[in-house]
Every structure is written in C-alpha cells, then in structure tokens.
Amino acid sequence: MAASTRAQVISLYRMMLSESKKFPSYNYRTYALRRVRDAFRANREIQDPKTVERLVLEGRQTLGLIQRQVVIGKMFETQKTVVEN
C-alpha cells in the first residue's frame, strides 16, 4: 500500500471513530465503534490497490451515513440510560 493511501485509510479510520463517538445513544455508539474497528481489522491485510480504493470509497460512504445518523439521533434524543450516566 502506498504511503499516501495508507495515510488516507488511517485518516478515514480516525474520522469514522470520532463520528461514531458522537452518537447520543449508548447502544448505537458502541455498535458503530465495534463495526468500524472490526471492518478495518478484517481488511487489514488487503494489498490490491483496486480493492483498497473500493474499500476506501465504501468507507467514505459509510462515514457520510454515520454523520447523517448522528444528526438524526440528536434530533430525537431520549433520556439517558443507567449505563450512560
């Protein structure tokens, strides 16, 4: 993997984690964090440039989805559970 691609992937990973931490609901937040970490771990060994580029594109789309869901979650926020306090 090229150095610039590696930097893009790491940047995407960090952005996805930070956006996932913004979910107001504990359950959604932990689920999103777990899914992001698991997806990146599962694809850690990918070396094919075309596959990496496809996965980066999918990751950007998923980042957009996470950002939209965080906004929607904040619009309809509920009371915090015992775990969240």
Side-chain angles (χ1 to χ4, degrees), residues 25-81:
S25 169
Y26 173 80
N27 289 329
Y28 288 128
R29 186 171 50 250
T30 56
Y31 176 75
L33 288 168
R34 187 174 63 244
R35 285 294 306 259
V36 168
R37 288 182 183 125
D38 289 349
F40 275 83
R41 282 185 189 133
N43 295 310
R44 173 184 279 172
E45 303 299 324
I46 304 290
Q47 295 294 325
D48 180 41
K50 290 195 184 284
T51 306
V52 170
E53 189 60 38
R54 181 181 56 80
L55 290 170
V56 168
L57 181 62
E58 281 181 26
R60 288 187 185 132
Q61 291 172 347
T62 303
L63 176 61
L65 179 115
I66 291 170
Q67 290 169 334
R68 288 189 303 273
Q69 288 303 117
V70 166
V71 170
I72 291 170
K74 287 183 179 178
M75 288 169 46
F76 301 103
E77 218 169 324
T78 59
Q79 289 183 331
K80 294 192 179 283
T81 62

